[in-house]
Each structure stands twice: as structure tokens, then as C-alpha cells.
Amino acid sequence: MARPEVLERIQSAESDADDIVAEAEEDREQRLSEARTRADEIRQEADEEATELKEQRLEDAREDIEAERERVLEEGETEREELEAQAADNEAEAVEFALERFTEAVHAQT
């Protein structure tokens, strides 16, 4: 093979190699871009899931607090009713006791 032909084949091979390298670089950049985009999507999905989970936990906590509040209010209402009933029972005894003391005091002065 003549030198010019060898030189031409070498230049052609180098050109082909440069094209292959350029194509590989383009492919690499495309894949990196796609990977970054997918990573951003995954990150966004994870953020959305975390936000939903946080909101659900807050809602659950609010429901628990409201249930506890209702329980405490009902318990307080029951205790109030019991105390009112006890006070009403004691009222008659207190009036009777006061009248007895008053009567004794009046008799003691006469």
C-alpha cells in the first residue's frame, strides 16, 4: 500500500474515532441529563410523600387531641353533676344544722 493511501486510511480511522468519541460524549451527556431529571423527579416525589405523611400525622394528632378534649370535658361534666347533687343533698342538712344552732342560740339568750 502506498504511503498516501496509508495516510488517508489513518486519517479516516482517526476521523471515525473522533466521531465515535463525540457520539459517546453526546450519549453520556444525554444519559446524565436524563439521570438528573429522574433524580429531581424522585426527590420531588419523596418531598410530596413526606409532606402528605406529615399532614396525615398532624391530622391524626389533632383527632387524638380532640378526642382527649371531649373525654376530659365529659369527665368534668360528670364530676360537676355529682358535686351539684352532693351539694343539693348537703344543702338540706346545712339548713337544718344552721336552724338548730340559731334556735339554740336564741334559747340560750332567753
Side-chain angles (χ1 to χ4, degrees):
M1 208 186 280
R3 274 188 137 168
E5 290 176 10
V6 170
L7 185 57
E8 190 177 303
R9 287 185 70 188
I10 291 173
Q11 287 174 338
S12 176
E14 287 176 348
S15 177
D16 289 346
D18 288 343
D19 290 345
I20 291 170
V21 168
E23 195 175 298
E25 281 291 319
E26 287 177 20
D27 186 50
R28 178 179 147 299
E29 290 300 320
Q30 178 66 31
R31 288 177 188 239
L32 281 173
S33 176
E34 289 171 0
R36 287 184 185 112
T37 300
R38 182 62 187 136
D40 288 342
E41 290 171 357
I42 291 170
R43 200 173 7 256
Q44 183 176 357
E45 289 171 7
D47 286 344
E48 289 172 2
E49 288 177 17
T51 298
E52 287 176 15
L53 181 60
K54 178 185 79 170
E55 289 173 2
Q56 183 60 49
R57 286 186 176 171
L58 282 172
E59 182 62 28
D60 291 346
R62 286 185 185 112
E63 289 174 3
D64 291 346
I65 289 168
E66 182 60 25
E68 179 67 12
R69 178 183 165 278
E70 289 297 321
R71 187 192 65 75
V72 168
L73 287 174
E74 288 175 11
E75 188 177 285
E77 180 66 21
T78 301
E79 286 181 31
R80 183 188 62 80
E81 290 171 356
E82 289 173 359
L83 288 173
E84 284 179 349
Q86 288 175 358
D89 290 345
N90 292 339
E91 182 180 6
E93 291 176 24
V95 169
E96 186 177 324
F97 178 76
L99 283 174
E100 286 176 11
R101 292 289 183 187
F102 180 73
T103 304
E104 289 174 7
V106 168
H107 286 301
Q109 289 181 352
T110 53

